[in-house]
Amino acid sequence: MRVFVTGASGWIGSAVVPELIGAGHEVIGLARSDASAAALTAAGAQVRRGTIDDLDELRRGAEAADGVIHLAFKHDVAFSGDFAGAAGADRLAVDTFGEALAGSDRPFVLASGMLGLTPGRVATERDSAGEIPETGLRTRQGTARAAIAFASRGVRSSALRLPPTVHGQGDKGFMAVLIGVARGRGVSGYVGDGSQRWPAAHRIDAANLFRLALEQAPAGSVLHGVADEGVPLLDVAEVIGRHLDLPVVSVRPEDAGEHFGWLGAYLSADSPASSALTRELLGWRPTQIGLIDDLDKGHYFQA
């Protein structure tokens, strides 16, 4: 299969590309820089230059492919305070892919999120944001619903919800930021009693699931890339404290924003999730180590 991949040189994409090539697929990766293009070429992929704002380029890439995996998201824009702008750009890109693939029965796999989906209880693939206003994190859920609806237009679409931490060596996401906060504050903090649960998955397992979704997922599928159903954030803080030789302390919920910055709101969310339906549907079996064991390996704490 000839597969067009956005975000192909990113954290997850750089694992998805070799997963696809190893399974015999041909990969064309979207690259916005010379460095990204060089990385894709070195990985054995072809290169299409552009960004997710280049809607004509996205359309041409989709029309020339047998399937599309959309991983790109403006995380730098989102984390700088303009989540709405990043989510809006993503929605335009997704709508463009839907138009390009309509009536083709070709697969479209969207990377989505699950943090805050069903606060306080284990989320499943059957849960959605429902009637909750599409603001903040819910905006991405709205985009995921739109992608799933492409099934009615002749697209074999699926939304693959990823946990807040897709971990592994080289991760610069939430775990790396949390470790940076601990270093800066001189304590390893958690919010309240630390019972908030986060799902997690290793990026190699996530990459494998993206391939399975491309190859097998029925039209209109919602998938969960979850290996650890819910890791208590107190456990995360304790590992960080042990590796950095810092005291582990509770931060009052009302002080989370001041202590953790933009990360505070996310750390306050109890958001466990299951992938039982995904495993049954696609035969996905995570094989990599869990989040706590990965943190304990020490690579997150190397300078």
Side-chain angles (χ1 to χ4, degrees), residues 5 15 19 28 33 92 98 124 131 140 165 168 179 248 250 258 300:
V5 181
E19 173 75 21
I28 304 90
S33 68
L92 288 174
T124 77
E131 69 281 357
R140 291 199 79 181
T165 180
I179 290 167
V248 180
S250 171
E258 189 278 329
Y300 274 93

Side-chain angles (χ1 to χ4, degrees), residues 100-302:
L101 296 172
S104 69
D105 292 321
R106 286 176 283 172
F108 173 67
V109 185
L110 170 69
S112 187
M114 62 177 59
L115 186 62
L117 186 65
T118 57
R121 69 173 178 84
V122 177
T124 77
E125 295 87 339
R126 294 194 177 102
D127 288 310
S128 73
E131 69 281 357
I132 299 172
E134 292 179 8
T135 58
L137 292 173
R138 301 298 181 185
T139 308
R140 291 199 79 181
Q141 293 298 330
T143 299
R145 287 197 298 274
I148 294 164
F150 293 162
S152 66
R153 298 166 58 191
V155 182
R156 185 162 61 81
S157 59
S158 58
L160 200 169
R161 293 173 178 160
L162 293 169
T165 180
V166 178
H167 57 91
Q169 189 156 1
D171 176 20
K172 295 181 175 61
F174 283 138
M175 290 298 109
V177 174
L178 185 57
I179 290 167
V181 171
R183 283 195 168 107
R185 291 288 185 179
V187 297
S188 179
Y190 57 90
V191 177
D193 63 3
S195 63
Q196 302 90 342
R197 297 159 293 174
W198 272 19
H202 195 281
R203 76 175 187 129
I204 299 301
D205 287 325
N208 176 250
L209 183 54
F210 274 103
R211 176 179 64 79
L212 293 175
L214 176 84
E215 295 172 344
Q216 304 176 29
S221 298
V222 175
L223 308 170
H224 277 191
V226 172
D228 289 327
E229 186 172 284
V231 180
L233 293 183
L234 174 59
D235 293 355
V236 172
E238 288 176 341
V239 174
I240 293 173
R242 183 168 67 252
H243 279 267
L244 297 181
D245 194 23
L246 294 175
V248 180
V249 303
S250 171
V251 176
R252 296 186 305 170
E254 58 267 33
D255 297 331
E258 189 278 329
H259 184 92
F260 296 103
W262 60 264
L263 190 56
Y266 298 96
L267 294 173
S268 299
D270 180 37
S271 190
S274 165
S275 60
L277 298 177
T278 297
R279 298 184 193 214
E280 180 180 355
L281 179 66
L282 300 181
W284 180 57
R285 297 291 182 269
T287 61
Q288 304 297 310
I289 62 175
L291 174 60
I292 295 300
D293 287 342
D294 203 3
L295 286 169
D296 248 338
K297 288 178 68 177
H299 56 83
Y300 274 93
F301 306 96
Q302 295 171 0

